[in-house]
Amino acid sequence: MPVNKNICVVGAQWGDEGKGKIVDMLAERADVVARYQGGANAGHTVRVGAKEFVLHLVPSGIVHPRTTCVIGNGVVVDPKALLDELALIKRQGIDAGGRLFISAQAHVTLPYHRLLDQAHESQRGGAIGTTHRGIGPTYADKMARTGIRMADLLEFKRFEQKLQRNFTEKNFLLQHYYRSQSGSIYEILEAYLAYAKLLRPHVTDTALLLAGLMAKGRTVLFEGAQGTFLDIDYGTYPYVTSSSTIAGGAATGTGVGPGMVGSVLLVAKAYTTRVGNGPFPAEFDAAMSQQLRDKAGDEVGRTTGRPRRCGWLDAVMLKRAVQLNGASSIAVTKLDVLDGFRQLKVCTAYKLRGRTIDAVPWSAEDWAECRPVYATLPGWTESTAGVRSFQRLPANARKYLALIEKQAGCRVSIVSVGSDRAATIRRGKI
């Protein structure tokens, strides 16, 4: 499946849809992979043979030695987390030197952001279920126009001045409001001076870099983190992340004009999962959730280690995701996990206070009251794990995918039947 134009890959659900594998597969023939939002709270897993790479900040295309990787201005960068990740993948045989670029306009996550994240969640009793990585407070500073950017980190006198101003405020808030411990400004200065020296070769005007590469005909794959329903505007607010996860965020998060983003590939798991709190109409009961987690083998958050909540595929969400992202096609992942189920269900509508609705509600409070309306389909007993052709899938698996297409109003172009690169069925253009 040659990549002959720019593509944006977006999660259709609450993240953890298997985007890492799909990006890895497409990056093989793309020139550039650009990450446009999120931070070290994301976790993309790429498996190459016996090796497994768990990436948080580094774009998934890094495993391809000829691929240029860009961390865009819409990403918040924790320098320590990024350097630790680069060191880890280097030990696994991947050197990012000379092909990883970080936007000078990307905002920097600092230790007090992580402390504020933890203190705020603790005060709320873990109501949102954040990763405690400081992502929300970093974006809050960005919007409050008090943030520190990578460009500031490289000009250390400027960084010191801005840090002093911010630290005084954050320290007061942590000590006197949250009754929490704060860090040392001197330790931060010493550590971040070292980080700046190590990251300096990677920092540049990535919007200009991308424009130049595209002018030369290079293809760009825009990589989103999390998923559509963790979007700060369109997700299950307030149980969301702090950035624009949808395809529109690719333009603002990289400095590329909307017309250059190209086609949009939605990635949807063949069932639904989420990590953290918030409404989930199609969620299984505890026993069924555990059964599916046992069968899938890896349904735990890559960043948090928390077991994922599991449920049937929610086609109401999928239809909305297609609309919000302007999706060209859908990649369905983990179809093999459904092998052996006698019956399968797909949520096609909701019941809300006696009414049947076929669209997601405006508020998380209403969404939490929704009860699923299911279509029931026969399952299949045959294994799909070794299938490499759509026509060789079990008949009932093809019917399941056909129902997804009908409900979502969008074509399925990729079907993943395992974690390995080769365990993929490609079906027409993206």
Side-chain angles (χ1 to χ4, degrees):
M1 184 187 296
V3 176
N4 53 20
K5 57 182 177 180
N6 298 337
I7 298 171
C8 182
V9 177
V10 185
Q13 296 153 320
W14 283 295
D16 307 311
E17 299 96 347
K19 296 181 295 297
K21 173 186 169 175
I22 302 301
V23 170
D24 169 60
M25 183 187 78
L26 298 175
E28 190 175 7
R29 297 188 184 181
D31 299 300
V32 184
V33 176
R35 169 85 176 274
Y36 63 84
Q37 51 78 219
N41 58 337
H44 289 177
T45 304
V46 177
R47 291 183 178 87
V48 183
K51 288 187 177 181
E52 179 179 271
F53 303 91
V54 180
L55 305 169
H56 297 279
L57 279 163
V58 178
S60 301
I62 201 71
V63 301
H64 297 279
R66 59 172 287 274
T67 302
T68 298
C69 290
V70 171
I71 296 175
N73 56 279
V75 179
V76 293
V77 178
D78 182 329
K80 182 180 185 305
L82 177 57
L83 288 166
D84 286 348
E85 191 172 323
L86 290 173
L88 175 61
I89 62 174
K90 189 169 186 177
R91 290 196 296 271
Q92 293 178 290
I94 294 176
D95 188 354
R99 58 192 185 92
L100 175 68
F101 299 94
I102 307 164
S103 171
Q105 279 74 48
H107 280 250
V108 178
T109 296
L110 288 133
Y112 55 69
H113 290 130
R114 293 191 292 272
L115 292 170
L116 285 166
D117 195 354
Q118 293 164 18
H120 196 199
E121 272 290 278
S122 177
Q123 186 182 75
R124 292 187 297 192
I128 302 300
T130 75
T131 61
H132 294 178
R133 299 297 177 96
I135 306 304
T138 310
Y139 278 114
D141 278 2
K142 175 179 179 176
M143 293 307 174
R145 293 161 293 185
T146 60
I148 295 175
R149 305 196 293 183
M150 291 299 299
D152 301 317
L153 184 62
L154 301 188
E155 298 293 336
F156 211 72
K157 285 295 182 185
R158 185 196 310 159
F159 173 75
E160 187 174 6
Q161 291 169 358
K162 292 188 175 185
L163 179 65
Q164 181 68 61
R165 178 196 65 202
N166 286 358
F167 187 83
T168 301
E169 175 191 319
K170 309 303 184 188
N171 195 40
F172 182 88
L173 188 60
L174 282 162
Q175 288 186 343
H176 298 286
Y177 182 75
Y178 289 113
R179 300 289 190 264
S180 176
Q181 296 295 316
S182 60
S184 161
I185 190 170
Y186 303 107
E187 290 177 1
I188 296 173
L189 283 168
E190 183 180 9
Y192 277 66
L193 176 60
Y195 301 154
K197 290 177 180 177
L198 292 169
L199 292 175
R200 183 180 294 275
H202 299 282
V203 179
T204 190
D205 183 337
T206 53
L208 191 61
L209 173 70
L210 289 169
L213 290 169
M214 288 188 291
K216 295 177 182 176
R218 305 292 193 271
T219 56
V220 181
L221 198 162
F222 298 92
E223 178 182 23
Q226 289 92 32
T228 295
F229 293 96
L230 291 177
D231 185 87
I232 188 65
D233 289 307
Y234 296 104
T236 46
Y237 188 91
Y239 306 98
V240 293
T241 193
S242 302
S243 57
S244 296
T245 63
I246 61 174
T252 56
T254 60
V256 168
M260 298 298 290
V261 171
S263 60
V264 177
L265 175 67
L266 274 185
V267 183
K269 208 173 276 186
Y271 46 97
T272 311
T273 63
R274 79 174 299 176
V275 172
N277 298 328
F280 189 170
E283 186 173 10
F284 295 144
D285 60 25
M288 183 66 174
S289 285
Q290 190 58 53
Q291 179 185 341
L292 190 135
R293 280 195 294 267
D294 291 343
K295 194 168 191 301
D298 62 351
E299 289 299 355
V300 294
R302 283 299 186 178
T303 300
T304 63
R306 291 177 292 191
R308 293 172 186 154
R309 299 160 62 190
C310 302
W312 295 116
L313 182 76
D314 190 328
V316 182
M317 290 174 57
L318 192 52
K319 179 181 177 182
R320 176 67 160 163
V322 168
Q323 175 254 307
L324 287 172
N325 291 286
S328 312
S329 64
I330 300 170
V332 174
T333 62
K334 297 209 171 188
L335 186 70
D336 55 303
V337 175
L338 299 183
D339 293 353
F341 280 85
R342 186 175 61 84
Q343 282 189 333
L344 300 172
K345 294 181 180 181
V346 173
C347 176
T348 58
Y350 301 141
K351 284 280 188 182
L352 176 61
R353 294 190 284 274
R355 295 183 300 117
T356 300
I357 59 173
D358 62 358
V360 298
W362 296 342
S363 69
E365 290 80 3
D366 284 346
W367 213 339
E369 288 189 43
C370 287
R371 297 297 174 262
V373 177
Y374 287 121
T376 302
L377 294 82
W380 55 91
T381 57
E382 308 95 314
S383 172
T384 61
V387 178
R388 300 295 179 265
S389 162
F390 188 82
Q391 291 305 317
R392 290 181 178 269
L393 284 170
N396 286 343
R398 296 198 303 272
K399 290 176 183 177
Y400 185 74
L401 295 169
L403 180 64
I404 291 174
E405 290 183 321
K406 179 181 178 182
Q407 291 292 319
C410 193
R411 184 175 50 86
V412 173
S413 61
I414 296 173
V415 180
S416 174
V417 289
S419 58
D420 192 72
R421 281 177 180 173
T424 309
I425 298 166
R426 309 182 186 198
R427 187 183 177 220
K429 294 182 179 179
I430 294 173

